[in-house]
Amino acid sequence: MATFSVRFLGCKVSQTDAQQVRERLLADGHTETGEGADVAVVNACCVTHEAVSKSRQAVSRAARSHGRVYVTGCGANLGGAFAGAAPNVHVVARRSEETPAFVAGHVGAIGCVQADARLERVRAFVKVQDGCSFSCGFCVVPLVRGASRSRAAGAVLGEVRRRVEQGHREVVLTGINLGCYRDREAGYRLSRLVHEAGSVPGLERLRLSSIEVNHVDDELVAALRDTPTVSAHLHVPLQSGDDPVLRAMGRRYSSATFLRRLAPLADFNLTTDVIVGFPGEDEAAFARTLEIVEQAGITKVHVFPYSPRPGTKTEAADTVPRAVKKERSARLRAASHAACMRRWQTKLGTRDAVLVDRPGRGYGDDYSPWLVPPATAVGGIVRARASAVTEEGIVGVV
């Protein structure tokens, strides 16, 4: 029997991939522990240069405190990202579907003794799709994840039921490009999957992790509206509000399309991603991004200063000075913070269902952060009344 630890860096898909390795090792009879374990699994990210740097640091630390380290995920599939790593580091450059079995086979099974491992977190992330068949000029994901592919609807719904039976109150459907979900044999697109996953008995809340705006069509909007368990939150990457920059990025929509597609969900809590300092972005282009973020009613922006990625169309271009990226990023984050505060203020005096995911903290139906009494049971959903707003979230009285 081996002891092991698992860590992920990056997005929710990375988290689900790490969880799949964790479940396989537990199923094979190994024991999860902290520092000093025999085996460490680090699911690495490579979406930016900083992400690669943090992943390399995590692998180096793990190599000093564990006997063997397995590097998995996007970072492992980026050629040369872990060149020069310690001798006890094994880079697993494989598809996510193949990785759990490979790692488990290398570690060695001792028997199926714990085949139904519960997730560590209150909400369960269920991956329904992987890979991307598009080629945005800045993105390395198609190179390290491969083409778009979907899980069978029956397998997805079976996992949702299993997570609910394990006690998870909320399920988040995740994927690299969720809107590309297809199970043609069973006749499923994402809209039908949302409706049926959200109708699983016992499930109290269903969310999507992220979706491209071109896939926010009438059919999906209807599914989000008509499924009572669906959370009033949607994360839709914008990347830029300037049309020439969007074209240079290889995005397949205009700023007008972004606004039009999201208009039917104006009451949702809408969040987004923006790349700041993409090659060719001038002050006017950045100003248009600020305008579109405001017009769309975005309440939270995840800001990414542009970082050239190897193998992409723009890998040799980085024309915006670092100091300018930093200044624009600060302005966008400030605008995002102000938008968050305005939305939280509208909650005062109202009640919401808050999923408590850690002591004293949780998230409302629209994924707004709430502060609840520390004694409130973690893992439960409580009705809370908004009594005040702080920098950290909405203060709730249970």
Side-chain angles (χ1 to χ4, degrees):
M1 180 181 67
T3 57
F4 71 92
S5 67
V6 176
R7 180 184 177 186
F8 78 94
L9 294 94
C11 66
K12 300 305 182 186
V13 177
S14 176
Q15 180 179 334
T16 59
D17 289 345
Q19 171 63 25
Q20 288 167 3
V21 177
R22 172 180 177 265
E23 287 188 292
R24 178 58 188 266
L25 291 174
L26 289 171
D28 281 358
H30 303 296
T31 301
E32 188 172 19
T33 186
E35 292 295 321
D38 303 319
V39 171
V41 178
V42 179
N43 211 72
C45 181
C46 65
V47 70
T48 64
H49 177 75
E50 182 181 4
V52 173
S53 178
K54 288 182 177 179
S55 294
R56 286 182 59 87
Q57 291 171 13
V59 169
S60 294
R61 287 194 297 270
R64 292 192 294 268
S65 57
H66 297 73
R68 283 176 287 171
V69 179
Y70 294 92
V71 185
T72 61
C74 292
N77 286 280
L78 185 67
F82 293 91
N88 61 335
V89 173
H90 305 272
V91 180
V92 184
R94 291 174 176 266
R95 280 189 167 195
S96 60
E97 303 95 310
E98 303 166 353
T99 297
F102 179 86
V103 173
H106 206 271
V107 173
I110 64 169
C112 295
V113 296
Q114 196 173 358
D116 192 28
R118 190 181 190 277
L119 298 178
E120 298 175 283
R121 298 171 185 251
V122 168
R123 60 182 51 82
F125 294 91
V126 175
K127 187 166 74 170
V128 308
Q129 180 274 343
D130 203 342
C132 183
S133 298
F134 301 107
S135 299
C136 295
F138 56 84
C139 187
V140 74
V141 169
L143 301 176
V144 297
R145 285 272 178 182
S148 178
R149 53 205 186 271
S150 302
R151 291 178 68 191
V156 172
L157 296 173
E159 183 175 352
V160 172
R161 286 190 288 269
R162 181 161 62 93
R163 298 308 182 194
V164 172
E165 290 168 0
Q166 289 175 336
H168 298 284
R169 315 294 286 278
E170 177 181 318
V171 165
V172 184
L173 302 183
T174 68
I176 295 298
N177 200 331
L178 267 180
C180 291
Y181 179 82
R182 300 286 188 278
D183 181 345
R184 290 181 173 84
E185 289 187 7
Y188 278 79
R189 292 165 58 91
L190 182 61
S191 54
R192 182 181 175 189
L193 187 70
V194 165
H195 177 71
E196 295 201 14
S199 301
V200 168
L203 179 66
E204 298 194 44
R205 187 176 293 170
L206 180 76
R207 283 196 303 115
L208 303 183
S209 62
S210 178
I211 188 166
E212 295 292 328
V213 74
N214 285 334
H215 296 135
V216 183
D217 55 17
D218 293 342
E219 189 177 294
L220 180 62
V221 169
L224 297 174
R225 291 283 187 198
D226 298 342
T227 309
T229 54
V230 167
S231 170
H233 166 251
L234 204 62
H235 185 84
V236 188
L238 170 62
Q239 306 305 4
S240 174
D242 181 73
D243 289 345
V245 171
L246 286 172
R247 287 193 293 271
M249 286 178 167
R251 304 293 283 172
R252 298 167 296 112
Y253 54 85
S254 66
S255 58
T257 298
F258 188 86
L259 294 174
R260 176 173 52 81
R261 293 271 183 155
L262 293 184
L265 297 171
D267 57 324
F268 271 45
N269 182 22
L270 300 173
T271 59
T272 197
D273 298 330
V274 168
I275 295 173
V276 170
F278 187 81
E281 180 192 78
D282 57 15
E283 182 59 29
F286 177 70
R288 283 189 283 273
T289 296
L290 289 173
E291 291 172 6
I292 295 300
V293 166
E294 181 177 0
Q295 290 176 32
I298 301 296
T299 61
K300 175 67 176 179
V301 183
H302 298 281
V303 181
F304 298 90
Y306 171 72
S307 176
R309 298 284 75 217
T312 64
K313 295 176 183 177
T314 59
E315 67 172 310
D318 192 9
T319 62
V320 179
R322 184 175 181 181
V324 174
K325 293 180 191 176
K326 184 176 180 180
E327 187 271 339
R328 289 178 186 169
S329 296
R331 286 159 58 194
L332 184 53
R333 290 189 179 103
S336 171
H337 178 69
C340 268
M341 298 300 287
R342 287 195 298 270
R343 183 175 181 89
W344 297 351
Q345 289 285 345
T346 67
K347 302 281 188 180
L348 289 173
T350 67
R351 290 187 176 274
D352 201 352
V354 178
L355 174 64
V356 183
D357 61 357
R358 48 193 160 147
R361 295 175 181 268
Y363 287 89
D365 178 68
D366 68 350
Y367 207 52
S368 291
W370 284 68
L371 308 177
V372 295
T376 308
V378 173
I381 292 182
V382 298
R383 295 290 299 177
R385 179 176 59 82
S387 63
V389 170
T390 73
E391 292 289 313
E392 295 183 344
I394 303 162
V395 178
V397 177
V398 177

